[in-house]
Amino acid sequence: MTNASRAALALAVAGPLSIVLACLPGPAPIPAREALTILASGLGLASPPSDPALATVVLGIRASRAVLAYAVGAGLALAGTAFQGILRNPLADPFTLGVSTGAAFGASLALALGFSAPAVLPLADPLPFFGLLGALAALLAVLALARSGRELRRETLVLAGVVTATFLSACIALLKALDESSVSGIVFWIMGSFQGRSWGHVLVYLPYLALGSTIILAQARELDLLSLGSAQARLLGLNADRSRLLLLVAASLLSGAAVAVSGVIGFVGLVVPHLVRRIQGAEHGPLALNAALLGGLLLLWSDVLARTLLPGGVELPVGVLTALLGGPFFCLLLKRRAEAA
């Protein structure tokens, strides 16, 4: 068994275990045995608990939040792996092409327009819908700006992404300036948080996670060839533009849907693929799988820390925490690349 296989097995076991453990801490601590009994009852493996309130806390609030945090972390890390392979740049992440900023603008527009979902219909929440529309619109704008004839160059993709992200950031600032009543909601949402998320948000995100991860994992060999450069990939029989476009759409779906259900959470897509690459190499098959598994764990425990770090039930936005943890790592990465050059 290779190192990558052993790491995948360990991470796969740690995932469900971490989700269970993440249901224990909170403003109202629940004994481990009671929480496990409630979770087992939710799976039909035990009789219903005697206290419905505790069941609501564990199953309705903490379990859904833990599952969503793990799924979003896996999606962001997988999207980051794809973007870094497509652009041949280990510093690329879901924000590089402006897709995440597009999702942020879409959701901010929904907040500014006053759209809200009934509490009994979490699937009717307009934020994921508007966020995903914004992400797809940003991707289309980037592709339109970057395409030169029939060719799609990675250098122009990055420049188009920077321009698109800058323009959409200005649009978000304009929304906040025009509608002061929505400022607090937009700012809190942009900081990224899983507070108030439910199983409805999990159901919204899972189809995009399944579709995007299936495409990226199936295109792992194509990512290996693209990392050699377009010319070399064509010599090896790959339609580089078609593969690059397919992977861009898949990664954009993952990152756009993630931002749509959780707000803006940075550095997961940047840090996790780079960590895994340094440990086991750059082959994209095992890299993508282990990055997804590690990204889920990282964001899950970041969320646990964000909601338990401050006393009195006060929560930190998890996007702020990942930025505080990932910022120094990003600076270290830049410094090492400068020294290597």
Side-chain angles (χ1 to χ4, degrees):
M1 184 179 288
T2 63
N3 290 337
S5 299
R6 284 193 290 268
L9 180 60
L11 290 170
V13 171
L17 179 61
S18 294
I19 291 174
V20 172
L21 294 175
C23 295
L24 303 182
I30 297 174
R33 178 176 294 181
E34 195 160 3
L36 291 174
T37 301
I38 293 172
L39 290 171
S41 70
L43 297 173
L45 302 176
S47 58
S50 57
D51 190 344
L54 285 181
T56 300
V57 170
V58 175
L59 292 176
I61 299 176
R62 295 184 186 177
S64 59
R65 179 171 180 160
V67 171
L68 183 62
Y70 185 86
V72 167
L76 289 175
L78 195 54
T81 302
F83 281 127
Q84 290 174 12
I86 295 166
L87 301 176
R88 297 167 58 200
N89 185 349
L91 299 181
D93 73 347
F95 292 88
T96 302
L97 296 187
V99 174
S100 294
T101 310
F105 170 72
S108 298
L109 182 62
L111 288 169
L113 293 175
F115 291 145
S116 60
V120 294
L121 292 174
L123 285 174
D125 190 343
L127 291 187
F129 176 73
F130 273 78
L132 194 59
L133 282 182
L136 294 177
L139 177 62
L140 289 176
V142 169
L143 293 176
L145 289 172
R147 185 170 291 279
S148 176
R150 292 186 175 181
E151 194 169 0
L152 202 61
R153 296 180 178 273
R154 64 186 181 92
E155 296 85 359
T156 52
L157 272 173
V158 174
L159 290 175
V162 170
V163 170
T164 302
T166 303
F167 175 75
L168 290 174
S169 296
C171 290
I172 294 174
L174 180 62
L175 286 176
K176 291 189 290 186
L178 293 177
D179 185 7
E180 294 184 0
S181 62
S182 65
V183 169
S184 59
I186 292 175
V187 170
F188 182 78
W189 187 87
I190 286 178
M191 288 190 292
S193 175
F194 295 105
Q195 186 176 10
R197 302 304 189 266
S198 66
W199 288 111
H201 295 90
V202 176
L203 293 177
V204 167
Y205 183 65
L206 284 183
Y208 299 103
L209 177 63
L211 178 61
S213 59
T214 299
I215 293 173
I216 292 174
L217 291 172
Q219 295 282 312
R221 178 180 175 276
E222 285 74 5
L223 269 174
D224 288 332
L225 297 179
L226 286 173
S227 65
L228 300 175
S230 297
Q232 186 68 27
R234 291 191 184 97
L235 288 176
L236 294 172
L238 179 68
N239 186 331
D241 285 342
R242 185 177 64 184
S243 295
R244 187 179 288 116
L245 180 60
L246 179 61
L247 286 163
L248 279 174
V249 171
S252 298
L253 280 176
L254 284 175
S255 52
V259 174
V261 297
S262 63
V264 178
I265 298 175
F267 288 98
V268 175
L270 168 67
V271 171
V272 174
H274 191 76
L275 284 175
V276 177
R277 191 181 294 109
R278 289 180 65 86
I279 293 171
Q280 66 178 47
E283 185 182 351
H284 281 90
L287 171 62
L289 176 60
N290 286 339
L293 294 173
L294 182 59
L297 286 173
L298 176 64
L299 190 53
L300 172 60
W301 286 110
S302 295
D303 182 55
V304 172
L305 185 61
R307 61 186 170 89
T308 57
L309 191 61
L310 298 179
V314 179
E315 291 192 17
L316 284 173
V318 69
V320 173
L321 188 61
T322 57
L324 290 173
L325 296 175
F329 179 87
F330 184 72
C331 294
L332 179 63
L333 185 57
L334 282 177
K335 188 174 186 304
R336 287 188 174 179
R337 281 178 62 85
E339 291 173 351

